[in-house]
Amino acid sequence: VQLQASGGGLVQTGGSLNLSCAISGRTPKFYAIGWFRQAPGREREWVSSISSSDGSTYYSDSAKGRFTVSRDVAENTATGYLQMNTLKPEDTAVYFCAAGDPMGVVVFPSTSEAYEYWGKGTLVTVSS
């Protein structure tokens, strides 16, 4: 299973970005999708997740009300999205998408260990 995140860039405070995560390989639509981020000098933190079984969504406190996670599936592909609105300088980070067993993600959506596969990150920079 391979994941490729894209959509990062430079945006001003209050702006928006829509990140995408393309999943390919074996049974991509099986996997729940999570989004994490890592700011310079800080530990990686969980942002949001979406279940592949019932579409349930989960958000960190910092993402709630500003970010929306979603997911599209086709026969052999799946794509996750993270729509980020009202961006703040503290949202500046490298954003990673990850895929995991939906049973584990539903119970532990914010835990890195719930995700088996990780993509390379995409950089989001929010200028003040």
Side-chain angles (χ1 to χ4, degrees):
V1 176
Q2 295 81 41
L3 290 84
Q4 179 65 55
S6 61
L10 174 63
V11 64
Q12 292 184 333
T13 297
S16 299
L17 283 174
N18 188 23
L19 305 184
S20 299
C21 176
I23 304 175
S24 59
R26 186 176 182 183
T27 59
K29 59 184 178 182
F30 167 78
Y31 295 96
I33 298 171
W35 289 94
F36 291 75
R37 68 186 182 185
Q38 187 166 18
R42 301 187 65 177
E43 293 187 355
R44 184 171 60 191
E45 66 172 344
W46 171 71
V47 177
S48 181
S49 302
I50 183 166
S51 169
S52 54
S53 57
D54 62 0
S56 296
T57 57
Y58 310 88
Y59 297 96
S60 66
D61 288 343
S62 62
K64 204 170 297 182
R66 300 189 298 127
F67 295 1
T68 303
V69 65
S70 61
R71 178 175 170 270
D72 283 339
V73 296
E75 184 63 30
N76 296 310
T77 62
T79 305
Y81 300 96
L82 185 67
Q83 175 67 43
M84 305 188 296
N85 298 326
T86 321
L87 283 163
K88 306 174 182 179
E90 51 264 44
D91 294 317
T92 294
V94 177
Y95 284 70
F96 300 88
C97 61
D101 187 308
M103 292 185 66
V105 170
V106 166
V107 178
F108 302 108
S110 62
T111 304
S112 298
E113 288 75 14
Y115 301 88
E116 302 172 64
Y117 304 100
W118 293 78
K120 293 181 180 180
T122 184
L123 177 62
V124 171
T125 304
V126 184
S127 64
S128 57

